[in-house]
Amino acid sequence: MKKFEIKFPYEDLEFAKGILGSIKAVRLYREESQKDTYFLTGERFSHLLVREGTKERGIIGKTRRTSITGIITNVNLLRLGKLSDLTKAKGILTITNGLMDQIEKSREVYRAEHALIYLDSVKDLGNFVKVSAYIRDPTEKAYKELFGICMNYSKMFQRDSGDFTLLSYLELLDKKRKDKDVNLTNEERRRKDFEFALEERERKQKEKI
């Protein structure tokens, strides 16, 4: 399952719900708590995690390709229904891969025309809106169309590309721990995020040589 997504900080999620209500977006499920346990993969743009939630529960593998406009993500999910299975999976992956970090959040998901919209409240990071559109035609033209769809939704929340973050929650948390400069503007922070993503991509390419 491949998707194109954008994500941006958004403090007032209750106001965001009102916006979604005004366009008659359908809430797929109410707020639920999720705990994502990440494991080492050896690849910066590949994530392996066990998700513990009510609606989403299982092992998730993600690979990402970052562009200046957004993120293209390929997601594979192995659903695990029993809590005991999740515990076993975490134990096995801790031994085989090594434990990396945990992200805790609460999430509501809405379905709008051509997109899914996630309202996330992430521990130690704050609130975010994520707009995601599934890719059926993996061409540059299709990516531009999906970006246009996501941009239309971001404008509803009075956000533009300068407000987007290209980093995952895991990378944002790691960066927050390392980043001592807390007085950056949105544009400066986005530029640093993009430079950070480019540096990691270049490092990954050099490792393959």
Side-chain angles (χ1 to χ4, degrees):
M1 178 176 61
K2 188 173 288 188
K3 58 185 180 179
F4 182 92
E5 62 185 37
I6 60 172
K7 179 170 72 229
F8 47 86
Y10 201 86
E11 183 176 349
D12 193 346
L13 292 186
E14 289 301 319
F15 189 76
K17 293 176 188 178
I19 294 174
L20 293 173
S22 70
I23 63 169
K24 301 188 184 322
V26 178
R27 183 166 58 187
L28 298 184
Y29 56 81
R30 294 177 181 273
E31 182 176 327
E32 74 154 351
S33 296
Q34 295 180 349
K35 181 165 70 173
D36 294 341
T37 303
Y38 286 80
F39 300 89
L40 297 170
T41 64
E43 297 286 340
R44 182 67 185 185
F45 291 97
S46 295
H47 289 161
L48 178 64
L49 61 118
V50 172
R51 174 162 294 168
E52 299 171 81
T54 305
K55 299 294 183 181
E56 298 181 31
R57 180 184 295 173
I59 302 173
I60 299 175
K62 296 182 180 181
T63 55
R64 300 187 303 134
R65 178 161 69 87
T66 305
S67 72
I68 190 66
T69 53
I71 298 171
I72 299 167
T73 306
N74 191 34
V75 181
N76 294 295
L77 169 64
L78 174 62
R79 295 189 181 276
L80 298 175
K82 298 179 181 179
L83 290 175
S84 58
D85 292 337
L86 293 173
T87 301
K88 290 178 183 177
K90 288 195 295 182
I92 293 171
L93 291 172
T94 298
I95 295 171
T96 59
N97 292 62
L99 184 64
M100 189 175 183
D101 212 332
Q102 285 188 336
I103 296 292
E104 296 183 40
K105 65 179 180 291
S106 61
R107 164 172 284 181
E108 287 192 29
V109 182
Y110 292 77
R111 183 175 65 239
E113 188 175 7
H114 304 304
L116 292 178
I117 300 175
Y118 301 79
L119 305 183
D120 290 343
S121 181
V122 187
K123 183 179 179 181
D124 297 325
L125 288 177
N127 299 335
F128 294 82
V129 172
K130 183 168 74 171
V131 183
S132 176
Y134 290 107
I135 299 171
R136 293 177 174 82
D137 178 21
T139 63
E140 194 64 30
K141 180 181 177 181
Y143 293 152
K144 289 180 180 180
E145 290 175 352
L146 292 174
F147 176 67
I149 291 170
C150 291
M151 278 299 298
N152 287 337
Y153 282 112
S154 70
K155 289 176 182 177
M156 288 193 320
F157 297 100
Q158 297 183 326
R159 297 293 187 271
D160 60 27
S161 58
D163 299 302
F164 300 167
T165 176
L166 300 173
L167 302 181
S168 67
Y169 292 139
L170 182 67
E171 290 166 330
L172 285 171
L173 184 60
D174 183 57
K175 188 170 180 292
K176 181 181 178 181
R177 291 167 178 164
K178 296 176 180 177
D179 193 356
K180 296 180 181 179
D181 188 353
V182 296
N183 297 315
L184 298 177
T185 65
N186 284 340
E187 182 60 28
E188 289 170 336
R189 188 168 299 280
R190 178 177 179 271
R191 186 167 61 249
K192 285 189 68 174
D193 287 353
F194 185 65
E195 291 171 351
F196 177 82
L198 284 180
E199 289 172 358
E200 290 301 325
R201 181 190 297 175
E202 291 173 357
R203 181 184 63 80
K204 178 182 175 183
Q205 291 174 344
K206 288 179 181 179
E207 289 176 350
K208 291 183 176 181
I209 297 176

